[in-house]
Amino acid sequence: MTSFKNIGLIGRLGSARAVDTLKRLVRYLDKRGLHVIIEDRTATVLLDHGQQEASRDRLGEICDLVIVVGGDGSMLGAARALCLSGTPVLGINRGRLGFLTDVSPDEMEVKVGEVLDGHFEIEERFLLDAQVYRNDMPVGDGDALNDVVVHPGKAVRMIEFELFIDGQFVYSQRSDGLIIATPTGTTAYALSGGGPIVHPGIDAITLVPMFPHTLSSRPIVVGGGSEIRIHIGETNEAYPHVSCDGQTRVVSKPDDILYVRRKPQRLKLVHPFGHNFYEVCRSKLGWSSRLGA
């Protein structure tokens, strides 16, 4: 048995399937005699649930384990809040791909039971911190489990910027932007941009240009401890947006500086025994199985 006694629940809003799975999960945890705490926003879709409610940040302080029912987007939001407390997180897939929420609803009771009985493994994933400075003063920040993206926003035009890694000048570029991805994020937006898939156990950051105005510009993989600095060009007509996990956090101005670094805290992602990253890739990305299988 594990020490998981206080179980937090976070669900995908606006999904009837996620609500049904949440109700099943509450009943199952109740039968096991566990204390269930439901995130306050999730509680709004679970009428008469009879459980304690708490904010997402508070869940990390009072729970031994948090279970997220939804897609990878739901997990991204939970990860940014829960990495600070180091609370382990388990994902049940009620989205589309489900790279992070890898437990199927059809086997939920079995797999959750295995975890509660101590049959699980914990995988740590790092996040990125992003900070934008203007005239040497901070004007905005954010964090991301998948990626930090510099892009022109709604404007259909290229942006200009200079890239520095650990203080060394790399290049000036005109493009639709730049994706700065963790290993977790290399199977997300960065993959669509032509970036490589990086195993989550590798301590690396991937930089993927978005439609660069040169055929020689290619993705770069650097050490996870690297400091990424982007100087927004002074002649930009568009005001580039800085997005973290798809959510705009700062609208920058010409001559702003964006710093991206690895976050000190890490997400503790729980998997039932037998989790295999390459099997997940085969399943989610449609890779071929072994010959004759």
Side-chain angles (χ1 to χ4, degrees):
M1 298 293 290
T2 69
S3 57
F4 297 150
K5 302 297 182 184
N6 301 303
I7 312 298
L9 298 184
I10 297 175
R12 178 185 178 187
L13 302 180
S15 168
R17 296 189 306 162
V19 171
D20 290 341
T21 302
L22 280 164
K23 291 178 179 178
R24 277 176 51 202
L25 184 55
V26 170
R27 289 195 297 268
Y28 175 74
L29 296 173
D30 266 344
K31 288 180 180 179
R32 292 194 58 132
L34 298 171
H35 181 205
V36 177
I37 305 103
I38 302 177
E39 183 219 18
D40 49 10
R41 285 180 292 178
T42 302
T44 61
V45 298
L46 294 174
L47 300 179
D48 302 320
H49 57 77
Q51 308 293 333
Q52 179 182 346
E53 299 181 16
S55 68
R56 183 169 296 190
D57 291 336
R58 180 68 175 150
L59 284 183
E61 300 173 5
I62 62 179
C63 293
D64 309 310
L65 172 72
V66 172
I67 302 176
V68 177
V69 178
D72 286 344
S74 302
M75 179 63 81
L76 292 175
R80 293 192 296 270
L82 297 172
C83 74
L84 298 177
S85 63
T87 306
V89 184
L90 173 68
I92 297 173
N93 186 23
R94 269 308 188 187
R96 290 186 295 273
L97 284 179
F99 274 97
L100 298 171
T101 51
D102 55 350
V103 174
S104 167
D106 295 336
E107 55 181 4
M108 179 184 69
E109 288 86 353
V110 172
K111 294 300 182 181
V112 171
E114 291 176 1
V115 170
L116 295 175
D117 290 337
H119 305 299
F120 64 90
E121 54 193 62
I122 290 184
E123 180 185 28
E124 293 193 347
R125 303 283 185 100
F126 75 80
L127 291 82
L128 296 174
D129 267 328
Q131 295 178 309
V132 176
Y133 281 76
R134 184 172 302 148
N135 300 321
D136 296 324
M137 296 293 293
V139 294
D141 57 37
D143 52 3
L145 177 61
N146 266 354
D147 46 48
V148 177
V149 181
V150 183
H151 59 98
K154 295 182 179 180
V156 184
R157 61 182 64 187
M158 288 188 169
I159 58 176
E160 296 182 352
F161 58 87
E162 292 181 333
L163 171 65
F164 297 80
I165 299 174
D166 290 331
Q168 298 184 355
F169 175 69
V170 180
Y171 53 58
S172 298
Q173 187 176 99
R174 294 185 71 247
S175 67
D176 282 3
L178 184 69
I179 304 169
I180 305 165
T182 66
T184 302
T186 60
T187 54
Y189 191 29
L191 184 63
S192 301
I197 294 176
V198 178
H199 189 280
I202 296 176
D203 186 20
I205 297 173
T206 303
L207 296 91
V208 182
M210 300 166 60
F211 298 102
H213 199 236
T214 171
L215 296 178
S216 61
S217 186
R218 292 291 184 267
I220 300 174
V221 180
V222 301
S226 301
E227 177 191 81
I228 312 299
R229 174 161 54 98
I230 296 174
H231 183 193
I232 306 299
E234 298 181 22
T235 59
N236 276 311
E237 296 182 11
Y239 283 14
H241 291 216
V242 177
S243 297
C244 296
D245 286 343
Q247 300 179 2
T248 297
R249 301 303 299 262
V250 186
V251 178
S252 68
K253 293 184 177 181
D255 205 31
D256 282 357
I257 304 290
L258 166 65
Y259 292 94
V260 179
R261 306 176 181 90
R262 182 177 57 200
K263 196 176 185 70
Q265 301 87 358
R266 295 183 178 235
L267 170 68
K268 292 184 177 179
L269 195 58
V270 176
H271 301 290
F273 278 145
H275 174 77
N276 183 314
F277 173 73
Y278 303 110
E279 183 179 353
V280 173
C281 288
R282 283 197 303 274
S283 171
K284 308 302 182 181
L285 300 178
W287 292 354
S288 298
S289 300
R290 295 183 64 179
L291 297 178

